Amino acid sequence: MRTELIFANLPEIKTELLAVLVADTQTEKGSNAKPTIALLASDSAVKAAAEAVLSSGEFKAGANETLLLHTPAGLEAKRLLLVGVGKLSKVTIHHIRNAAGTAVRFAKPRGVRELVFALPEAEALPAAACARAAAEGAFVGDFDPDTYRSDRKDQSIQTLTILAPAGADRNAIQVAFAEGVIIGESHNLTRSLVNEPGNKLTPTLLGQRAAAMAKEVGLACDVYSTDKLHELKMGAFWSVSQGSEEPPALIVMRYEPEGVKDGPVLGLVGKGITFDTGGISIKPADKMEQMKYDMAGGAAMIGAMRAIALLRPRVRIIAIVCAAENMPDGKALKPGDVQTAMSGKTIEIINTDAEGRLVLADGLAYAKQLGATHLIDAATLTGACVVALGKVYAGLFANNDDICAKFTEALETSGEKFWRLPLDSEYADMIRSDIGDIKNSGGRYGGASTAAEFLHNFAEDTPWIHLDIAGAAWSEETKPYMAKGPSGIAMRSIVEWVRKYSL
Ligand code: BES
Ligand code: MN
Ligand code: ZN
């Protein structure tokens, strides 16, 4: 998808489809009151073209509601698409992001390959932030997961034009729009990786994809395998890979901006299980196919590093993806085994399906060894987190309120939903082992928190955030603005969090 930004007046726009936003401006409550709706465009020709349908009450301007008008009078555009954003008093840039995605997904199946999305003219919505959000949302909308269908019709949009009011502050809008394009493309890189099946994206292939991305944007990237895991004494990470024919991949990406010699070093660590069968503690067959997305945390880090390399914040970053395949085999890890992690801590294996925390234990320790002063990890870690929060919110844990506050602020820009869950020494007590230091499962109760406490053993006192994205990383339902399947969650929030540390 090509994207461009123009500053022009609506009636002059020649396009297959012009999308404009409509809000519900009703302030009083009461269900029988007719909604009063208003175009978020001041142009009189567009207003005239939409007048009849807007006053009919047929269109309620609900969030992502759409209505199409052909050959609108007084406009050069062939079609006028109204996209609702809900109540005007509650509209945020996140509604604008979704509305752009909705416009794109409206166009795709109808054979429309080119459209213009008019930014809203509303006081509470700064044009620059809207331009960025609209670009992000358009990319999100353009993605479909049907890459392996032999009759696949490529319905992607060829050109998306974002239209800003002619009199706007051009510089700021241009910069924000360019950021939105970078973030939108990187978001879809994450989603396309998450979408790949286990046979098409082994740990080795994930390493190759990360290296190719790094080369394209000028990042340093090393991909190691079994020998390096032995050399670093990563017994926890290695033990997950030992039952698979596919060798593990330790992916290390570095971003070192010129002239930045001090300040924090941010360590990004992602779970990259390219397929999780559960190992010897094998999972039931039902929905096991979904375990191809067990590398969503790693994919979030790869997408985030692409965006970071292009946005160039002034802070050093090390990203580590621990990729392996969790398989049952004669050589596989067994319940009862004791493994020594890179940090020297011994781990009693209770359940081989609690493999994510094993690879992350060594990933976190390695990030610290490489100099990380702050840590963030993302992982599809626990079913317990999905039980607690469903597929709506993802879990957030932190051992430090300052790092957590920065992440929460980042969420205001990214619009992603994370909810803080507790760490507590009593959860840590639940994973004490009789034979070694810790065990890799604390049982059914409090599973998201005991998993987080397991990781806490390796992050130790370094300020650290843990994101459990097991539920939100894969969506079961198609939304008007986004296809079902890989959501790409965490990538945009991580990028925004990183930018808060820019010197
Ligand atoms: N990859 C799973 C967690 C998961 C569950 C991700 C559902 C996405 C959707 C993880 O490796 C796992 O199997 N966790 C176990 C841990 C348990 C054995 C302590 C779980 O949550 O059941
Ligand atoms: Mn598992
Ligand atoms: Zn897993």
Side-chain angles (χ1 to χ4, degrees):
M1 184 173 76
R2 258 190 305 128
T3 44
E4 59 185 24
L5 174 69
I6 58 167
F7 296 84
N9 298 316
L10 290 173
E12 304 153 7
I13 301 300
K14 285 199 174 75
T15 176
E16 288 292 317
L17 187 151
L18 171 64
V20 294
L21 302 181
V22 187
D24 176 356
T25 53
Q26 185 181 294
T27 44
E28 87 215 59
K29 294 209 174 75
S31 54
N32 45 10
K34 214 175 158 194
T36 32
I37 56 182
L39 267 181
L40 299 182
S42 58
D43 184 83
S44 53
V46 176
K47 278 196 169 145
E51 161 64 28
V53 66
L54 292 189
S55 56
S56 74
E58 281 165 44
F59 184 74
K60 310 274 190 281
N64 305 305
E65 185 183 344
T66 49
L67 190 133
L68 184 69
L69 299 170
H70 279 265
T71 52
L75 303 184
E76 292 281 336
K78 285 196 195 155
R79 302 174 186 82
L80 180 65
L81 178 69
L82 308 180
V83 185
V85 291
K87 286 246 183 306
L88 184 61
S89 57
K90 300 223 166 84
V91 177
T92 65
I93 54 162
H94 311 310
H95 295 88
I96 308 306
R97 185 185 295 107
N98 290 350
T102 298
V104 164
R105 292 196 71 72
F106 185 92
K108 282 188 80 174
R110 290 171 175 82
V112 176
R113 294 282 162 269
E114 170 266 320
L115 72 151
V116 175
F117 181 85
L119 293 180
E121 293 174 63
E123 244 171 72
L125 296 166
C130 286
R132 178 183 155 176
E136 290 172 7
F139 279 97
V140 168
D142 199 38
F143 179 95
D144 270 296
D146 58 346
T147 29
Y148 291 101
R149 273 175 81 147
S150 44
D151 65 344
R152 181 173 200 250
K153 297 177 197 68
D154 188 2
Q155 298 181 320
S156 14
I157 299 297
Q158 274 153 15
T159 311
L160 179 270
T161 305
I162 288 177
L163 181 133
D169 168 11
R170 300 194 173 201
N171 224 340
I173 297 176
Q174 191 72 53
V175 169
F177 165 76
E179 286 182 8
V181 171
I182 290 170
I183 291 166
E185 287 173 345
S186 304
H187 189 174
N188 281 352
L189 167 63
T190 294
R191 293 169 76 201
S192 65
L193 291 170
V194 175
N195 194 44
E196 289 294 335
N199 66 324
K200 304 281 187 193
L201 194 75
T202 59
T204 308
L205 291 170
L206 182 62
Q208 287 173 9
R209 295 282 290 263
M213 177 283 288
K215 196 169 168 210
E216 202 184 295
V217 299
L219 281 177
C221 178
D222 293 299
V223 183
Y224 306 103
S225 192
T226 314
D227 289 348
K228 185 77 170 183
L229 269 53
H230 288 312
E231 185 192 313
L232 293 168
K233 299 194 159 59
M234 290 181 158
F237 181 3
W238 174 77
S239 75
V240 175
S241 73
Q242 76 186 85
S244 173
E245 292 288 321
E246 291 296 337
L250 169 62
I251 305 167
V252 184
M253 295 165 279
R254 285 169 207 255
Y255 168 73
E256 278 161 356
E258 225 170 281
V260 181
K261 293 277 167 274
D262 43 32
V265 177
L266 309 181
L268 281 45
V269 183
K271 170 176 173 181
I273 300 298
T274 57
F275 196 78
D276 182 12
T277 65
I280 297 298
S281 316
I282 198 161
K283 287 182 182 292
D286 189 39
K287 296 244 176 100
M288 202 209 271
E289 76 284 359
Q290 290 199 343
M291 283 301 109
K292 68 175 187 173
Y293 84 80
D294 213 16
M295 33 59 74
M301 297 316 181
I302 294 169
M305 286 306 275
R306 181 188 183 275
I308 287 162
L310 297 170
L311 293 170
R312 309 209 66 75
R314 295 186 50 77
V315 57
R316 291 170 293 169
I317 300 158
I318 302 167
I320 296 171
V321 177
C322 300
E325 193 182 62
N326 189 21
M327 296 288 276
D329 180 75
K331 291 200 189 103
L333 178 70
K334 302 178 292 298
D337 284 2
V338 175
Q339 292 290 344
T340 306
M342 181 184 174
S343 73
K345 285 200 173 145
T346 55
I347 302 165
E348 179 189 7
I349 308 302
I350 300 298
N351 191 317
T352 65
D353 197 11
E355 84 298 339
R357 62 198 76 182
L358 297 174
V359 304
L360 290 174
D362 287 339
L364 290 165
Y366 191 42
K368 288 209 294 182
Q369 194 194 79
L370 293 177
T373 58
H374 296 68
L375 295 166
I376 189 164
D377 77 67
T380 45
L381 204 65
T382 68
C385 194
V386 192
V387 172
L389 302 173
K391 290 200 160 261
V392 180
Y393 275 76
L396 156 63
F397 299 83
N399 64 352
N400 173 293
D401 288 341
D402 182 54
I403 196 172
C404 187
K406 284 206 168 55
F407 190 81
T408 311
E409 264 176 53
L411 296 177
E412 285 169 26
T413 307
S414 75
E416 293 183 328
K417 293 175 182 172
F418 283 88
W419 197 259
R420 193 174 184 181
L421 297 172
L423 291 166
D424 192 293
S425 63
E426 286 196 64
Y427 292 118
D429 292 342
M430 290 164 70
I431 51 166
R432 286 224 179 104
S433 166
D434 293 333
I435 189 172
D437 298 330
I438 44 175
K439 52 186 185 182
N440 80 332
S441 169
R444 272 160 49 86
Y445 294 163
S449 286
T450 52
E453 280 297 351
F454 183 96
L455 300 179
H456 196 181
N457 274 281
F458 301 92
E460 297 179 294
D461 294 334
T462 304
W464 157 72
I465 290 173
H466 159 55
L467 306 175
D468 191 336
I469 58 170
W474 193 265
S475 64
E476 307 277 352
E477 285 161 46
T478 297
K479 303 202 177 83
Y481 51 88
M482 187 164 117
K484 65 178 171 185
S487 71
I489 190 170
M491 174 261 149
R492 288 193 292 114
S493 302
I494 291 165
V495 171
E496 228 44 60
W497 173 79
V498 160
R499 295 174 92 193
K500 305 238 170 261
Y501 289 88
S502 183
L503 299 174

